[in-house]
Amino acid sequence: MLCHGPSMKSVDVFYRRLVNLCGVTSALIFATMTVLVSWDVVSRNIQFGQLPWIVELTEYAMPAATFLAAPWLLHRAEHVRMEVLVSALSPAAAHTCGVLANLIGLAISFVFVWYGLAIIVDARSIGAQVIKTLVFPEWWLFVPLPAAGALMSIEFIRRLASRGGGA
């Protein structure tokens, strides 16, 4: 933990709550998608009709939920790791591998932030709209990308600053 004094402890608590909120929000999105898609299938099969926006909403919600879950999983160290490889390495090599993985993850997270913000700015500047069953500004779809990238960047920086950068 990187806390030094009461103000850093408050920042750390805020950060942990924000990351946990991302995980809870992701879970709620996946649960809602499950209920809506199940309802759509059942209602079509009993000839009750269908709601065409359910499939579309699910298309938009799935990547959003995935990007929201990523910082939470990373913070909890429940992301994908090559345990077989790491366990076969010497402690020094495993540490080096962890540092490299964190640096690569940080670089990719920065790309998510930069690219996500560039897409949002571009979509807003031209007034791009999603026009299907649902109609809304296109940039809304991309908000999770830089948000998740920023939180993952923070987590990778935290990892690199603690434990000597190994993960």
Side-chain angles (χ1 to χ4, degrees):
M1 183 161 24
L2 299 173
C3 292
H4 303 290
S7 63
M8 283 305 293
K9 185 169 174 66
S10 298
V11 169
D12 189 56
V13 168
F14 173 77
Y15 169 76
R16 289 175 191 273
R17 287 183 179 162
L18 183 59
V19 169
N20 286 333
L21 178 63
C22 287
V24 168
T25 303
S26 177
L28 290 172
I29 290 170
F30 277 116
T32 302
M33 285 189 309
T34 301
V35 169
L36 288 174
V37 169
S38 297
W39 168 256
D40 191 45
V41 170
V42 169
S43 66
R44 274 188 281 135
N45 284 318
I46 62 172
Q47 315 275 314
F48 190 69
Q50 72 181 75
L51 300 171
W53 56 267
I54 290 177
V55 172
E56 186 178 344
L57 186 67
T58 301
E59 289 174 4
Y60 304 139
M62 199 172 305
T66 302
F67 273 104
L68 285 171
W72 177 73
L73 290 169
L74 184 63
H75 181 71
R76 294 173 49 95
E78 293 180 358
H79 56 292
V80 175
R81 283 184 50 155
M82 300 294 294
E83 291 296 333
V84 173
L85 172 67
V86 174
S87 65
L89 298 174
S90 70
H95 181 274
T96 301
C97 187
V99 170
L100 287 173
N102 284 324
L103 288 171
I104 291 168
L106 179 60
I108 292 169
S109 296
F110 281 150
V111 170
F112 285 159
V113 173
W114 178 82
Y115 186 68
L117 289 174
I119 292 172
I120 290 169
V121 167
D122 185 50
R124 285 190 61 150
S125 70
I126 63 172
Q129 296 278 314
V130 172
I131 303 174
K132 290 185 175 182
T133 304
L134 303 173
V135 178
F136 57 92
E138 185 182 42
W139 66 268
W140 290 2
L141 294 174
F142 300 103
V143 169
L145 185 62
L151 289 173
M152 289 188 298
S153 295
I154 291 168
E155 189 60 34
F156 283 119
I157 290 167
R158 289 168 50 99
R159 289 165 170 262
L160 288 163
S162 68
R163 298 186 310 261

